[in-house]
């Protein structure tokens, strides 16, 4: 079993794609179209590779949950990357700044960015393939 996709509502597809294209230059727009969702017209697209993607739907209204709150909703989602420094440079080059420098433990390092819609996205680079070293929990 694996996670195939996340379906998220966004304000603007092009602004959102600018962020995710900088983060994942090997991904592509797989397809898209227009639909009506409970009486609201919207454009949608799938951005990813052959196995994983983000389903992006425009015409979003309101704000995502306050990240410092305990409200229900997505706190963040994370992607594993092979070159964290390269990803940071690409996102900075596209105008996005690191929100949080994550835990830099002996076998992993991570950063958090906010996408154009307010979603917090973590990017983590593991420095080992051993699960016993990657999955260390501190009390």
């Amino acid at each position: 079993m694996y996670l195939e996709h996340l379906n998220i509502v966004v304000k603007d597809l092009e602004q959102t794609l600018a962020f995710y294209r900088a983060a994942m230059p090997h991904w592509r727009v797989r397809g898209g179209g227009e639909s009506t969702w409970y009486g609201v017209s919207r454009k949608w697209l799938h951005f990813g590779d052959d196995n994983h993607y983000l389903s992006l739907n425009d015409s979003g209204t309101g704000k995502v949950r306050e990240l410092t709150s305990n409200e229900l909703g997505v706190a963040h989602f994370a992607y594993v990357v092979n070159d964290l420094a390269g990803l940071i440079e690409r996102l900075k080059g596209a105008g996005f700044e690191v929100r949080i420098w994550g835990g830099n433990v002996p076998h992993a390092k991570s950063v958090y960015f906010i996408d154009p819609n307010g979603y917090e996205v973590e990017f983590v680079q593991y420095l080992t393939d051993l699960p016993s070293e990657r999955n260390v929990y501190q009390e």
Side-chain angles (χ1 to χ4, degrees), residues 75-124:
H76 73 266
F77 50 97
Y79 287 96
V80 175
V81 300
N82 294 325
D83 178 14
L84 189 62
L87 176 128
I88 292 167
E89 287 303 311
R90 287 192 309 274
L91 282 170
K92 283 186 172 184
F96 301 97
E97 293 298 322
V98 172
R99 178 175 186 264
I100 298 171
W101 292 92
N104 291 306
V105 294
H107 301 292
K109 52 188 174 179
S110 65
V111 294
Y112 296 77
F113 283 85
I114 303 296
D115 86 354
N117 307 283
Y119 294 110
E120 186 174 68
V121 185
E122 177 185 10
F123 298 97
V124 60

Side-chain angles (χ1 to χ4, degrees), residues 6-136:
L6 295 175
N7 185 320
I8 59 177
V9 178
V10 303
K11 294 176 185 176
D12 182 281
L13 286 176
E14 289 307 315
Q15 288 177 351
T16 302
L17 277 174
F19 177 85
Y20 290 102
R21 279 185 170 135
M24 301 166 212
H26 61 288
W27 279 16
R28 68 189 187 286
V29 174
R30 295 173 22 158
E34 294 184 24
S35 65
T36 301
W37 185 257
Y38 292 95
V40 176
S41 296
R42 67 181 187 181
K43 294 178 184 170
W44 63 272
L45 59 83
H46 290 174
F47 180 70
D49 61 20
D50 291 335
N51 298 305
H52 309 281
Y53 64 94
L54 291 171
S55 176
L56 305 174
N57 306 272
D58 76 357
S59 299
T61 60
K63 293 191 257 184
V64 298
R65 68 182 281 282
E66 175 58 46
L67 295 174
T68 59
S69 77
N70 286 317
E71 295 173 14
L72 290 176
V74 174
H76 73 266
F77 50 97
Y79 287 96
V80 175
V81 300
N82 294 325
D83 178 14
L84 189 62
L87 176 128
I88 292 167
E89 287 303 311
R90 287 192 309 274
L91 282 170
K92 283 186 172 184
F96 301 97
E97 293 298 322
V98 172
R99 178 175 186 264
I100 298 171
W101 292 92
N104 291 306
V105 294
H107 301 292
K109 52 188 174 179
S110 65
V111 294
Y112 296 77
F113 283 85
I114 303 296
D115 86 354
N117 307 283
Y119 294 110
E120 186 174 68
V121 185
E122 177 185 10
F123 298 97
V124 60
Q125 180 178 357
Y126 290 109
L127 307 173
T128 180
D129 289 330
L130 299 175
S132 62
E133 294 176 341
R134 290 171 69 149
N135 304 320
V136 174

